[in-house]
């Protein structure tokens, strides 16, 4: 698959590396996002790219020396005793404004915790006399927690980077252009592979989604069978706590107390690993539309990555069957659960398409779900006789007019009558506390063209993808 997106990142890297002074650049993000490919695209022939491993410090220094010698012959002649010696030697040998890339920098720090301080000392040569720094240095890593922590206020590298950015998954509109797929099929596949380039590269090796899933995911030898643990191993040695939290949410436990109970941990013990998963964008907190995230008592925790959500809701529960070769049970679960999984991703995409966007003659604030209980009344009675649960897929407030809100229903199912869907949505909205006295813009987000039209706005997969941020 061709290299897609990342125009902004490439521009920033080119600007930094083409500067007339040495620059320090920090780039990080989860594995498989194409960090190394991105960096290689902006390097010149006199630059050096080194990818670290989990080997001991001395071996790593020797490997770096041999890597540099491929560009600057003879560099591996001397023996370098530490990181300071070899980096300063490169600074002496290299062409002016050459770049040294230290990829998987966290592996190097694991074997030499003093390395960040050493690098700080080297970077500070940019402002001293004598033979100062004349090369650019890029550090890169898949351990989001460690890379982020290296740049905090109390750490040696704080404030040293001219460019610092975290690489994120590639957004859906770019995949539409890259794959040429029909919008509906693309959303279904995106609900599995997400925006991770390497996952799509794996997928491209197979003629069908069914074949790709069978070989990559529903197979103990598949490249993506143990992908979650591989991701978590970049962040922590013992992945059990992370994996257990994700599995608990995948099984349907979304409240803090439910997750703690499911993994047999106290709510206090849950704080740190759950917080780390949120920081790494693997989990997100969700509160009903209109409520304050810090104050709401209705907070839910959702898996915020398509592949991980797919894995923990569909793959993880059938692992024992996979080990026993019971493909028929695995396939049956996939057929039963996949439509619901896609519908959740569709719902998120619809919310994102509305958020901050100018559509339906309005500019909307951030969209979200709303759920809660509302009172039920009997005719002629002023006091409620009970309550019922209501849920709305997409709710957003007009950016300027607080009396105007958008209320939307998302359907990832066969074609239905739009008028019937609209009437149900209006009936629910009449009971919703957030809608009382408001001007309502009704929207149906549908997988298929409806069997009839209705007096409301309708968005289909092509419309939603077009409205998404790039």
């Amino acid at each position: 698959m061709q290299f897609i997106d990342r125009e902004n990142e490439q521009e920033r890297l080119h600007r930094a590396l083409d500067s007339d002074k040495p620059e320090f650049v920090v780039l990080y993000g989860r594995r498989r996002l194409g960090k190394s490919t991105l960096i290689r695209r902006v390097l010149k022939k006199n630059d050096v790219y080194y990818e670290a491993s989990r080997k001991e410090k001395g071996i790593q220094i020797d490997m770096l020396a041999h890597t540099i010698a491929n560009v600057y012959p003879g560099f591996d002649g001397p023996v370098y005793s530490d990181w300071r010696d070899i980096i300063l030697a490169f600074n002496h040998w290299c062409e002016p404004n050459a770049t040294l890339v230290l990829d998987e920098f966290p592996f190097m720090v694991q074997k030499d915790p003093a390395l960040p301080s050493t690098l700080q000392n080297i970077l500070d040569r940019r402002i001293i006399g004598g033979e100062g720094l004349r090369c650019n240095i890029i550090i890169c890593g898949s351990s989001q927690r460690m890379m982020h922590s290296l740049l905090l206020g109390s750490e040696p590298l704080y404030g040293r980077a001219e460019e610092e950015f975290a690489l994120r998954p590639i957004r859906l509109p770019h995949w539409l252009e890259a794959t040429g797929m029909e919008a509906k099929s693309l959303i279904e596949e995106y609900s599995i592979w997400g925006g991770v380039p390497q996952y799509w590269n794996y997928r491209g090796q197979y003629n069908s989604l069914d074949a790709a899933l069978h070989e990559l995911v529903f197979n103990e030898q598949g490249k993506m069978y143990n992908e979650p643990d591989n991701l978590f191993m970049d962040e922590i040695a013992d992945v059990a706590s992370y994996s257990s939290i994700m599995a608990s949410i995948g099984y349907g436990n979304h409240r803090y107390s439910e997750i703690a109970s499911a993994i047999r941990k106290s709510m206090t013990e849950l704080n740190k690993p759950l917080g780390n998963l949120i920081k790494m964008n693997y989990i997100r907190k969700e509160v009903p539309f209109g409520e304050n995230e810090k104050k709401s008592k209705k907070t839910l925790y959702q898996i915020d990555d398509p592949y991980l959500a797919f894995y923990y809701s569909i793959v993880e529960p059938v692992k024992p069957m996979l080990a026993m070769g019971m493909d028929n049970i695995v396939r049956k679960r996939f057929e039963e659960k996949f439509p619901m999984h896609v519908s959740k991703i569709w719902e998120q995409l619809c919310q994102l398409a509305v958020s901050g966007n100018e559509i339906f003659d309005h500019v909307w604030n951030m969209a979200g779900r709303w759920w809660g209980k509302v009172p039920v009344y009997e005719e002629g009675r002023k006091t409620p006789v009970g309550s019922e649960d209501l849920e709305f897929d997409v709710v957003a407030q007009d950016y300027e007019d607080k009396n105007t809100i958008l209320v939307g229903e998302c359907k990832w199912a066969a074609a239905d009558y739009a008028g019937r869907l609209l009437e149900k949505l209006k009936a629910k909205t009449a009971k919703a506390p957030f809608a009382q006295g408001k001007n309502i813009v009704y929207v149906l987000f549908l997988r298929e063209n409806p069997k009839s039209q209705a007096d409301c706005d309708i968005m289909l997969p092509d419309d939603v993808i077009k409205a998404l941020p790039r």
Side-chain angles (χ1 to χ4, degrees):
M1 182 176 291
Q2 77 271 27
F3 189 84
I4 63 173
D5 193 19
R6 308 301 191 205
E7 290 88 356
N8 178 57
E9 290 86 350
Q10 289 186 76
E11 180 181 342
R12 291 172 63 182
L13 285 170
H14 276 301
R15 185 169 59 244
L17 302 185
D18 292 341
S19 171
D20 57 0
K21 60 183 180 66
E23 303 274 343
F24 176 49
V25 176
V26 179
L27 173 66
Y28 59 95
R30 59 180 281 183
R31 62 172 59 236
R32 319 274 198 209
L33 285 180
K35 299 183 295 297
S36 303
T37 303
L38 169 64
I39 291 172
R40 289 192 179 102
R41 287 178 67 86
V42 302
L43 296 182
K44 303 180 290 292
K45 64 178 182 179
N46 293 323
D47 298 334
V48 172
Y49 172 87
Y50 170 69
E51 183 173 354
S53 64
R54 297 182 186 273
K55 295 181 174 63
E56 295 296 332
K57 172 184 172 181
I59 299 298
Q60 296 244 35
I61 290 174
D62 290 343
M63 292 172 66
L64 176 56
H66 294 316
T67 301
I68 295 174
N70 291 328
V71 181
Y72 298 93
F75 185 88
D76 55 350
V79 175
Y80 303 98
S81 59
D82 56 32
W83 291 115
R84 182 179 185 278
D85 288 346
I86 193 169
I87 294 174
L88 289 180
F90 173 81
N91 185 60
H92 177 76
W93 277 64
C94 72
E95 296 290 333
N97 205 42
T99 299
L100 175 63
V101 179
L102 303 175
D103 198 357
E104 296 301 354
F105 187 73
F107 292 168
M108 301 165 69
V109 176
Q110 286 175 358
K111 299 302 180 181
D112 184 2
L115 178 55
S117 295
T118 300
L119 186 56
Q120 173 203 351
N121 179 267
I122 293 171
L123 292 170
D124 287 347
R125 295 172 68 93
R126 292 178 293 182
I127 57 175
I128 64 175
E131 186 182 353
L133 194 67
R134 63 193 188 116
C135 67
N136 304 305
I137 297 177
I138 297 177
I139 65 171
C140 180
S142 299
S143 175
Q144 300 179 71
R145 288 179 60 238
M146 182 178 287
M147 291 297 293
H148 185 260
S149 68
L150 288 172
L151 305 169
L152 295 177
S154 60
E155 296 298 323
L157 297 178
Y158 173 73
R160 297 306 194 283
E162 279 76 24
E163 284 286 356
E164 170 197 334
F165 47 97
L167 216 57
R168 301 297 183 208
I170 294 173
R171 289 171 169 165
L172 184 56
H174 295 285
W175 294 113
L176 182 67
E177 299 168 2
T179 64
M181 295 177 68
E182 181 263 335
K184 184 173 68 174
S185 298
L186 177 66
I187 289 172
E188 290 179 340
E189 297 231 7
Y190 179 84
S191 77
I192 300 172
W193 317 118
V196 181
Q198 188 60 56
Y199 296 173
W200 284 93
N201 284 334
Y202 291 153
R203 164 65 181 93
Q205 298 169 16
Y206 302 92
N207 293 326
S208 68
L209 175 60
D210 183 69
L213 288 173
H214 179 76
E215 294 298 327
L216 296 171
V217 184
F218 297 122
N219 184 330
E220 287 185 290
Q221 309 305 319
K223 292 178 180 178
M224 298 182 64
Y225 183 77
N226 290 313
E227 180 67 5
D229 283 353
N230 292 332
L231 290 172
F232 300 149
M233 285 175 63
D234 288 331
E235 311 293 345
I236 190 171
D238 182 8
V239 303
S241 59
Y242 287 7
S243 184
S244 297
I245 290 171
M246 300 292 280
S248 174
I249 297 175
Y251 274 96
N253 300 302
H254 298 285
R255 299 187 184 280
Y256 201 94
S257 58
E258 294 172 345
I259 299 169
S261 176
I263 67 175
R264 311 301 194 270
K265 295 282 188 182
S266 70
M267 294 175 70
T268 301
E269 291 175 300
L270 188 62
N271 277 338
K272 185 174 181 180
L274 184 58
N276 287 337
L277 287 166
I278 292 172
K279 289 178 182 176
M280 293 183 290
N281 300 302
Y282 292 143
I283 288 177
R284 75 179 188 279
K285 295 170 69 173
E286 184 181 32
V287 299
F289 166 81
E291 294 199 12
N292 186 303
E293 183 179 297
K294 295 181 179 180
K295 297 180 180 179
S296 177
K297 296 181 180 180
K298 298 180 181 179
T299 301
L300 301 180
Y301 294 85
Q302 308 284 1
I303 297 178
D304 199 26
D305 173 84
Y307 182 72
L308 293 180
F310 173 80
Y311 184 92
Y312 282 106
S313 64
I314 297 178
V315 183
E316 177 77 12
V318 298
K319 271 195 165 184
M321 289 78 165
L322 288 170
M324 296 172 63
M326 300 171 68
D327 290 351
N328 58 326
I329 295 179
V330 173
R331 186 175 297 277
K332 181 179 179 181
R333 180 176 176 85
F334 171 76
E335 292 173 353
E336 290 175 349
K337 300 295 183 180
F338 187 58
M340 178 59 70
H341 169 74
V342 181
S343 69
K344 291 180 179 179
I345 300 298
W346 171 239
E347 186 179 286
Q348 294 173 39
L349 292 172
C350 295
Q351 293 168 7
L352 187 59
V354 170
S355 298
N357 208 348
E358 184 176 359
I359 50 178
F360 316 128
D361 299 321
H362 298 268
V363 177
W364 303 102
N365 279 319
M366 296 299 293
R369 285 198 309 143
W370 187 92
W371 65 92
K373 292 184 179 296
V374 296
V376 173
Y377 296 91
E378 288 184 352
E379 187 174 352
R381 297 187 61 173
K382 295 184 178 181
T383 57
V385 296
S387 64
E388 68 173 305
D389 292 314
L390 282 188
E391 181 177 333
F392 294 86
D393 299 329
V394 183
V395 185
Q397 185 182 68
D398 184 287
Y399 181 75
E400 295 181 344
D401 179 10
K402 290 181 168 46
N403 286 317
T404 298
I405 61 172
L406 178 150
V407 177
E409 182 82 3
C410 301
K411 292 294 183 183
W412 194 261
D416 201 342
Y417 292 93
R420 180 165 60 190
L421 294 174
L422 178 59
E423 288 306 311
K424 289 182 179 180
L425 181 58
K426 285 184 174 181
K428 285 200 308 181
T429 305
K431 304 173 187 177
F434 62 81
Q436 303 309 307
K438 305 290 186 181
N439 301 315
I440 310 296
V441 175
Y442 294 100
V443 185
L444 298 177
F445 300 89
L446 306 177
R447 187 187 76 174
E448 312 280 359
N449 276 306
K451 293 181 178 180
S452 66
Q453 296 302 309
D455 186 21
C456 68
D457 293 293
I458 294 175
M459 292 190 78
L460 299 172
D462 281 306
D463 304 314
V464 169
I465 294 175
K466 184 179 179 180
L468 290 171
R470 296 179 60 84

